[in-house]
Amino acid sequence: CESLGWQSSAVDVVPNALLRQIERVDESERERRRLALRRELGLPADAFIALTVARLHVQKAHDVLIKAAASLAPRHPRVHLVWAGTGEIGEQLRAQVNEHELSERVHILGHRTDVVEQLLPAADAFVLPSIFEGMPFAALEAMAAGLPSVHSDIGPHREIATDGTDALLVPVGDANALAAALERLMTNRDEA
């Protein structure tokens, strides 16, 4: 504040908040939505879905998530990445998915209006490996829905989550740490 010529006592910070109620569904409804999404995507009923809701933009580090998926794929054939969002690097990401032979494992859904109602309750984990963020509403919504989450260890994510309690925080750009965090959520469902 002082660098802008303002006194810090004259500034109040108002953090972002969710503007709508996020419904937490019971286990039977969650299972119904899980099966419906898996049918829609042609996935087996026991697929582990790691959901990302974000613009397809370099800032969101989808390429790091692709590398993490490539390292997980041989050991965990149930893991599928599902991305809701559009953006200028969509074709580039599709090429990277094909290059890593993950076209059966990474599902880019494009723009969806049913993220909160259908996708969050149907997923097993939420992932947001961004390089930088403001305050990510998608992460707030996922956490409010009770979805186990993995975020990059950046300031705004630390403001909304404590590592190991509210979410797993991983170093920015570290595909191995991201893969390990997803594996942890997948293999330790009680902890998740």
Side-chain angles (χ1 to χ4, degrees), residues 159-176:
E159 287 181 29
I160 63 171
T162 300
D163 182 33
T165 302
D166 307 306
L168 298 178
L169 301 179
V170 299
V172 173
D174 189 335
N176 292 329

Side-chain angles (χ1 to χ4, degrees), residues 14 29 43 74 93 178-179 182 189:
V14 179
E29 180 60 17
L43 304 179
L93 290 172
L178 184 56
L182 285 171
R189 294 308 294 161

Side-chain angles (χ1 to χ4, degrees), residues 138-153:
L140 290 171
E141 290 173 338
M143 291 171 65
L147 197 56
S149 298
V150 179
H151 306 155
S152 52
D153 190 5

Side-chain angles (χ1 to χ4, degrees), residues 12 34 51 100:
D12 287 320
R34 282 173 47 82
L51 174 67
H100 286 281

Side-chain angles (χ1 to χ4, degrees), residues 7-187:
Q7 291 183 349
S8 58
S9 62
V11 176
D12 287 320
V13 175
V14 179
N16 283 346
L18 296 177
L19 301 177
R20 61 179 164 169
Q21 178 94 16
I22 305 297
E23 175 191 20
R24 281 195 181 209
V25 299
D26 64 30
E27 281 308 308
S28 64
E29 180 60 17
R30 182 177 296 277
E31 188 60 23
R32 188 191 70 72
R33 293 181 195 185
R34 282 173 47 82
L35 292 173
L37 181 61
R38 284 151 180 77
R39 275 193 305 272
E40 175 187 334
L41 298 176
L43 304 179
D46 69 342
F48 180 90
I49 291 182
L51 174 67
T52 300
V53 179
R55 290 176 301 117
L56 303 181
H57 188 276
V58 174
Q59 165 198 357
K60 303 298 183 176
H62 290 84
D63 60 326
V64 176
L65 194 46
I66 291 169
K67 290 174 188 166
S71 75
L72 282 173
R75 296 186 318 277
H76 298 288
R78 295 184 320 116
V79 174
H80 290 264
L81 305 181
V82 173
W83 296 346
T86 61
E88 60 272 13
I89 64 166
E91 290 308 312
Q92 177 185 341
L93 290 172
R94 284 179 184 83
Q96 289 175 359
V97 165
N98 290 334
E99 177 185 319
H100 286 281
E101 299 179 356
L102 293 170
S103 59
E104 301 286 319
R105 308 286 286 277
V106 178
H107 314 274
I108 303 174
L109 306 181
H111 177 74
R112 294 285 292 245
T113 60
D114 63 348
V115 167
V116 171
E117 298 78 15
Q118 297 300 321
L119 296 183
L120 289 175
D124 297 294
F126 179 81
V127 186
L128 193 59
S130 305
I131 298 167
F132 63 92
E133 282 287 349
M135 179 57 65
F137 282 108
L140 290 171
E141 290 173 338
M143 291 171 65
L147 197 56
S149 298
V150 179
H151 306 155
S152 52
D153 190 5
I154 57 176
H157 291 162
R158 284 190 301 272
E159 287 181 29
I160 63 171
T162 300
D163 182 33
T165 302
D166 307 306
L168 298 178
L169 301 179
V170 299
V172 173
D174 189 335
N176 292 329
L178 184 56
L182 285 171
E183 187 170 35
R184 181 175 165 186
L185 292 179
M186 189 172 48
T187 58

